[in-house]
Amino acid sequence: MLPLVPLTSPPATEAQLLHQAQRVAGYSLGELAAMAGLPIPKDLKRDKGWIGVLLERWLGASAGSKPEQDFAALGVELKTIPIDSQGRPLETTFVCVAPLTGNTGVTWEMSHVRHKLKRVLWVPIEGDRAIPLADRRVGAPLLWSPNEEEERQLSQDWEELMDMIVLGQVERITARHGEVMQLRPKAANSKALTEAIGAHGEPILTLPRGFYLKKNFTGALLARHFFA
DNA sequence: CACTGATCATGA
DNA sequence: TCATGATCAGTG
């Protein structure tokens, strides 16, 4: 048996990436943290991105805050997703920050959302808060690209939300806008402000927003794979 | 249950 | 401040 160790450099191929993700499937977060020499927090209250960082480490993603895909050379984005005992998502999935200004002429084709979601390695993680963090297990990974239907849904929601942003309606957007993708605050706190367009075309300051995939969307794509 | 706004850590 | 990684926690 080869020893199970984190990748220290990015995988060279998708197949290699997927294979490593399959190797860590079944292990608990406690086991993976110990093998990687990473301290494990008692819960996620103050370490919300800890699982994502742990998996980045195991799969050889370049950590950091670079505005590009986790595996740039492969064009693949890594997403961990908390699931319940039935394999259903427990949380929405953050995609990227929404640009609130400078959007004239921007199309779906060139959007950050489309680019981010072009190819995603989904790694489901047991997320029930009743399970101690260290005992939560990693599920089987799924390498995914949006099919025609999903691409249509995403682009439709993106158009709707971006139209409202461009037309100065950002503060009227609620999480109910969009069938599969929503716009919600994405900020350090409620005092963090960024520039946007007001109802009369004037500059305003508002909460930074992010695009999030709704659970119906991620739930369906996971189900399609695992319960087909 | 989903929605909603708020929040936490870290680094450039 | 904004980008990365996300979840928390209160309310209908």
Side-chain angles (χ1 to χ4, degrees), chain A residues 2 77 90-91 94 96 107 116 126 128 148 151 202:
Chain A
L2 289 169
E77 177 75 11
L90 287 166
E91 292 288 346
F94 174 71
C96 60
T107 65
K116 281 272 183 182
E126 287 181 327
D128 188 328
E148 279 189 26
E151 173 104 15
E202 80 284 14

Side-chain angles (χ1 to χ4, degrees), chain A residues 99-145:
Chain A
L100 302 183
T101 59
N103 288 307
T104 51
V106 178
T107 65
W108 164 249
E109 299 296 322
M110 59 179 77
S111 70
H112 289 287
V113 172
R114 180 162 180 272
H115 186 245
K116 281 272 183 182
L117 298 181
K118 190 117 182 126
R119 194 123 180 101
V120 178
L121 180 67
W122 295 98
V123 180
I125 313 279
E126 287 181 327
D128 188 328
R129 291 188 212 178
I131 308 173
L133 184 57
D135 295 341
R136 298 182 196 174
R137 284 168 298 165
V138 175
L142 164 59
L143 201 44
W144 168 89
S145 289

Side-chain angles (χ1 to χ4, degrees), chain A residues 94-100 112-113 116 183 186 194 208-211:
Chain A
F94 174 71
V95 179
C96 60
V97 170
L100 302 183
H112 289 287
V113 172
K116 281 272 183 182
L183 196 77
K186 163 66 173 173
T194 192
R209 314 297 163 101
F211 288 108

Side-chain angles (χ1 to χ4, degrees), chain A residues 181-203:
Chain A
M181 188 169 66
Q182 62 189 180
L183 196 77
R184 300 212 320 275
K186 163 66 173 173
N189 54 58
S190 59
K191 285 97 189 168
L193 297 174
T194 192
E195 187 176 311
I197 300 172
H200 308 291
E202 80 284 14

